[in-house]
Amino acid sequence: WSVGYVFGNVFERCKLDAIQRKRRLFQQDYNKEKEEDMYPNFTLRENDYVLGKHKIGGNAQAITAQGWLHHTSFLWDYQQENMAYLSLPQKRPEYRGDRTHDDFLVKLKKVYGSHEEEEDEESAKRAFFYHVKCACQDSFDVKEVTVKDALDVVEKELGGMQAWLHGKCCARII
């Protein structure tokens, strides 16, 4: 698998949904030439997931003899005022330069969310998760389970999260 293959499909689907929604809402006033500016392409850039020049999430991997774990946190929304607490990190990707968090990050809600009051914001968020699920199903053998069921598998087959993580990928559950 590759990040572009799986998540590229997610964002391509989100882009198509958003374009169709905008065309329906604005009909004659819709400017088709600005679609690429409104919905930049998803790429992996210096280990960051980005849309255009803006970071949209964080990720981490752990690979051991017993398994492989890939974790991604996409930024659907966040409290803008909390960005003031974050300082410019000393170690940062070259493409970020000296941009502040406000200039470096973008909320997926801003790109793919509702822009009209009459639209349901939650439906855009549900659509995003639906596209993630579909893209994963296209690439992997996916079985939906509850969180409890997933934790039971980790406990029974891997000896629990702490046992699996301890000493193997330098992470610790606190």
Side-chain angles (χ1 to χ4, degrees):
W1 81 280
S2 74
V3 168
Y5 181 76
V6 176
F7 292 130
N9 287 335
V10 171
F11 292 102
E12 195 57 38
R13 293 171 192 215
C14 287
K15 179 194 284 190
L16 292 174
D17 271 1
I19 288 170
Q20 288 173 353
R21 189 169 58 246
K22 283 222 189 302
R23 285 178 182 169
R24 275 194 316 271
L25 287 170
F26 299 110
Q27 294 177 4
Q28 296 97 305
D29 296 333
Y30 184 77
N31 187 341
K32 191 174 181 175
E33 286 76 42
K34 292 192 176 189
E35 285 178 0
E36 277 306 312
D37 293 335
M38 292 186 325
Y39 307 106
N41 290 325
F42 168 84
T43 58
L44 176 65
R45 191 166 179 187
E46 294 181 57
N47 299 315
D48 286 342
Y49 294 169
V50 298
L51 286 179
K53 61 180 183 170
H54 294 99
K55 184 175 180 175
I56 58 167
N59 62 80
Q61 298 79 33
I63 302 170
T64 71
Q66 290 79 25
W68 170 77
L69 174 69
H70 178 88
H71 166 81
T72 297
S73 297
F74 287 114
L75 296 171
W76 180 260
D77 196 9
Y78 52 85
Q79 298 296 319
Q80 200 69 35
E81 61 272 11
N82 290 339
M83 292 295 115
Y85 296 111
L86 301 174
S87 59
L88 189 65
Q90 286 190 340
K91 183 181 176 189
R92 57 189 178 268
E94 190 175 311
Y95 80 97
R96 177 182 181 160
D98 291 333
R99 291 188 287 163
T100 65
H101 283 83
D102 282 340
D103 294 332
F104 178 58
L105 303 173
V106 68
K107 299 175 184 182
L108 290 173
K109 173 183 172 179
K110 181 179 176 187
V111 180
Y112 299 115
S114 170
H115 298 289
E116 296 297 312
E117 288 184 30
E118 65 267 10
E119 279 193 275
D120 175 17
E121 185 61 49
E122 283 300 307
S123 67
K125 191 176 187 180
R126 282 192 304 273
F128 174 74
F129 285 112
Y130 174 77
H131 293 310
V132 170
K133 176 182 167 184
C134 289
C136 288
Q137 288 172 332
D138 290 348
S139 300
F140 306 105
D141 183 18
V142 175
K143 178 182 176 187
E144 286 191 56
V145 297
T146 66
V147 171
K148 182 189 178 313
D149 291 341
L151 291 174
D152 286 346
V153 169
V154 170
E155 188 66 38
K156 290 175 186 164
E157 295 185 24
L158 301 174
M161 283 299 284
Q162 194 62 59
W164 187 78
L165 293 171
H166 182 66
K168 295 179 181 168
C169 63
C170 302
R172 187 159 285 250
I173 298 173
I174 298 175

